[in-house]
């Protein structure tokens, strides 16, 4: 990690406070010379392979197709390969270009398949720094390949116990944010650690994520139901729905359910449809696990209480809710491998979104769907500006910032009502959860686009000056010349106006005085009289 942190400090002073996607869409690399031989098929293919490997890491981290495509173009053009075609569909990357002309023309293709989508912020930050260094022109292709090998071989930045601690803090603080007390927070902390610990153990045996989500949903319900009935026997009352909802949020946060809708908004419908179906299947697995847990708890004799009406928050509790949401989001960033500064910035982004949610949107009496969408705009804007200020990928603040607003409670209420033959209530809650997800996606994309417009670098338009120059014709230039009397003219030019012609110099020789000069001289000083002769 010291190598990549030194790279970040090295390029922080030389580059502006903008993201790599801003540089990709604003201007080509600063060097006009190609560092590779564009007529050599081996060197061109090597550049395309580097760009495809970078795009693979971006896609696995959840980057939208349009942004990944732009950054692939940036890497290729930084090495001189300005003319190449990039196509991304789901998890496949295809890059095409042609070299040579005539009979020596050759078509080159690079095809790469990305593995499954996993939220890993450490690799995303490392590849973002690599893209910056390539754009600065300080990383040749051989060194870029070596760094990509190092990024692919990177292990988790934190030990497993620290990752589990982050998941536990996330679950405990979110349970308090949903209205629980200290006891609910402690129980949610333990349940979240148990859920993610078992899922990590199952992942070592290569169990598909579908069954991991089913297991997580089951574990989120059964301990909460057992502890509720045991505590009720001692006269202690708490709401198990907050514990179950926090466990659902912990599971849903790693699915990037919102990111699949971002692809549809940014005009990648095929990828969006495929990812959305995958996210729906994973979410359905969580709901199925919750349903199995509810039935299993009832079979054991530990039934859950009926759903209570959700009361609006009291305003003197709002600062506590904002603090819990911010701490939980920062813990989620830590569990996903973010660095220290990225954890702090992500927590500040989530806090900004919740402040906007409670103090700006909710007082107007709007519904929760509209409130989440408007608050997501603030999350995208604040996260985009803060991420550009601290030289980190904006995707991190986007994913972490809207996590406190994920509809975990709506998913649980919909599943519980459906199992208890309240179909209208159940389907309305499930539809509400889907609507909140879409509103979060639309709002966070809009806010990030506004931040991109505010902090974008100057666009490189080399032909704009020539276009402005072409508006001035020869006749207009001639008219401007005639209106400017200070323009020097050639003496005695036949095209120069007579009023500006210089006066001819006087001829050499005796000069005869004019009559007016003689008369004026006579009146002014009379001539002296001649002396008289003596008689």
């Amino acid at each position: 990690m010291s190598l990549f942190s030194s790279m970040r400090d090295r390029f922080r002073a030389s580059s502006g406070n903008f993201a790599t996607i801003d540089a990709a869409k604003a201007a080509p690399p600063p060097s006009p010379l190609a560092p590779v031989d564009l007529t050599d098929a081996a060197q061109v293919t090597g550049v395309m392979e580097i760009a495809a490997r970078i795009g693979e890491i971006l896609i696995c981290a959840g980057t939208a197709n349009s942004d990944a495509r732009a950054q692939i173009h940036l890497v290729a053009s930084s090495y001189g390969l300005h003319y190449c075609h990039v196509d991304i569909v789901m998890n496949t990357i295809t890059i095409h270009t042609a070299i040579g002309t005539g009979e020596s023309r050759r078509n080159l293709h690079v095809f790469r398949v990305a593995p499954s989508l996993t939220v890993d912020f450490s690799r995303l930050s490392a590849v973002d720094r690599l893209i910056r260094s390539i754009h600065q022109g300080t990383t040749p292709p051989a060194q870029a390949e070596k760094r990509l090998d190092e990024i692919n071989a990177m292990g988790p930045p934190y030990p497993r116990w620290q990752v589990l601690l982050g998941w536990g803090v996330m679950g405990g603080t979110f349970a308090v944010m949903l209205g629980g007390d200290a006891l609910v927070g402690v129980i949610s902390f333990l349940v979240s650690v148990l859920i993610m610990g078992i899922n990590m153990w199952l992942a070592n045996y290569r169990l598909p994520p579908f069954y991991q989500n089913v297991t997580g949903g089951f574990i989120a319900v059964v301990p909460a139901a057992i502890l509720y009935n045991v505590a009720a026997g001692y006269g202690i009352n708490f709401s198990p729905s907050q514990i179950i909802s926090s466990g659902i949020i912990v599971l849903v946060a790693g699915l990037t359910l919102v990111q699949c809708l971002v692809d549809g908004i940014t005009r990648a419908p095929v990828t969006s449809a495929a990812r959305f179906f995958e996210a729906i299947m994973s979410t359905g697995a969580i709901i199925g696990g919750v349903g199995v847990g509810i039935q299993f708890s009832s079979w054991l004799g530990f039934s859950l209480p009926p759903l209570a009406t959700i009361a609006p928050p009291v305003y003197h509790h709002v600062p506590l809710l904002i603090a819990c949401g911010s701490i939980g989001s920062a813990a989620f960033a830590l569990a996903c491998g973010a660095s220290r500064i990225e954890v702090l910035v992500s927590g500040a982004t989530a806090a900004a979104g919740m402040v906007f949610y409670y103090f700006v949107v909710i007082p107007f009496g709007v519904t929760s769907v509209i409130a989440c969408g408007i608050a997501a705009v603030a999350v995208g804007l604040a996260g985009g500006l803060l991420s550009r200020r601290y030289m980190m990928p904006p995707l991190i603040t986007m994913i972490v910032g809207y996590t406190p607003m994920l509809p975990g409670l709506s998913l649980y209420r919909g599943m519980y009502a459906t199992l208890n033959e309240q179909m209208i209530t159940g389907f309305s809650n499930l539809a509400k959860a889907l609507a909140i997800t879409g509103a979060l996606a639309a709002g966070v994309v809009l806010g990030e686009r506004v931040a991109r417009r505010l902090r974008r670098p100057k666009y490189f338009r080399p032909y704009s000056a020539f276009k402005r120059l072409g508006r001035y014709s020869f006749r207009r230039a001639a008219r401007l010349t005639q209106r400017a009397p200070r323009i020097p003219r050639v003496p005695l030019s036949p095209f120069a106006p007579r009023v500006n012609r210089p006066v001819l110099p006087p001829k050499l020789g005796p000069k005869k005085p004019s009559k007016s000069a003689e008369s004026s001289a006579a009146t002014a000083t009379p001539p002296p009289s001649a002396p008289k002769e003596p008689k």
Side-chain angles (χ1 to χ4, degrees), residues 417-493:
T418 304
L419 291 177
N420 288 275
E421 298 181 356
Q422 301 175 6
M423 304 303 295
I424 297 178
T425 304
F427 281 113
S428 62
N429 279 277
L430 294 177
K432 179 182 178 181
L434 183 60
I436 290 176
T437 304
L440 291 176
V444 76
V445 169
L446 179 60
E448 204 278 330
R449 288 300 189 276
V450 173
R452 187 177 300 181
R453 294 282 296 181
L454 293 176
R455 298 303 299 269
R456 68 180 182 184
K458 290 185 177 181
Y459 281 13
F460 182 70
R461 298 190 177 103
Y463 301 107
S464 58
F466 294 100
K467 291 179 180 179
R468 288 194 300 267
L469 184 62
R471 298 172 187 171
Y472 294 92
S473 60
F474 178 77
R475 294 181 179 179
R476 186 173 181 181
R479 289 196 301 269
L480 292 176
T481 304
Q482 292 178 1
R483 293 176 184 176
R486 296 182 180 180
I487 298 178
R489 304 182 186 279
V490 181
L492 301 179
S493 174

Side-chain angles (χ1 to χ4, degrees), residues 383-397:
L385 295 177
L386 289 175
S387 61
R388 285 162 174 81
R389 171 63 180 83
Y390 292 98
M391 307 288 288
M392 54 181 286
L395 182 64
I396 297 178
T397 55

Side-chain angles (χ1 to χ4, degrees), residues 80 89 173 216 223 367 496:
V89 178
T173 53
T367 60

Side-chain angles (χ1 to χ4, degrees), residues 308-465:
T309 305
I310 302 176
V314 183
Y315 271 92
H316 66 271
H317 292 161
V318 170
L320 176 63
L321 304 182
I322 295 174
C324 290
S326 177
I327 295 173
S329 300
F332 171 57
L334 178 68
C336 293
S339 62
R340 308 296 182 184
I341 185 63
E342 292 169 353
V343 168
L344 296 177
V345 172
S346 301
T349 302
M354 296 193 68
V355 167
F356 196 82
Y357 180 87
Y358 284 111
F359 291 104
V360 178
V361 182
I362 292 298
F364 286 96
V366 298
T367 60
S368 58
V369 177
I370 299 176
C372 289
I374 298 176
V377 176
V379 168
L381 179 59
L385 295 177
L386 289 175
S387 61
R388 285 162 174 81
R389 171 63 180 83
Y390 292 98
M391 307 288 288
M392 54 181 286
L395 182 64
I396 297 178
T397 55
M398 286 177 58
I399 294 177
V400 178
Y402 61 72
T403 304
M405 293 178 283
L406 287 175
L409 187 59
S410 298
L411 290 174
Y412 169 68
R413 294 176 68 89
M415 191 64 212
Y416 184 89
T418 304
L419 291 177
N420 288 275
E421 298 181 356
Q422 301 175 6
M423 304 303 295
I424 297 178
T425 304
F427 281 113
S428 62
N429 279 277
L430 294 177
K432 179 182 178 181
L434 183 60
I436 290 176
T437 304
L440 291 176
V444 76
V445 169
L446 179 60
E448 204 278 330
R449 288 300 189 276
V450 173
R452 187 177 300 181
R453 294 282 296 181
L454 293 176
R455 298 303 299 269
R456 68 180 182 184
K458 290 185 177 181
Y459 281 13
F460 182 70
R461 298 190 177 103
Y463 301 107
S464 58

Side-chain angles (χ1 to χ4, degrees), residues 115-116 198-212:
S116 59
I198 292 179
N199 280 352
M200 288 180 182
W201 179 72
L202 293 176
N204 294 332
Y205 292 94
R206 298 184 182 276
L207 188 70
F210 180 86
Y211 300 104
Q212 297 180 24

Side-chain angles (χ1 to χ4, degrees), residues 164-185:
L164 291 176
L165 181 64
W167 288 115
V169 172
M170 176 186 176
T173 53
F174 281 177
V176 176
M177 185 190 66
L178 294 175
D181 53 7
L183 178 61
V184 172

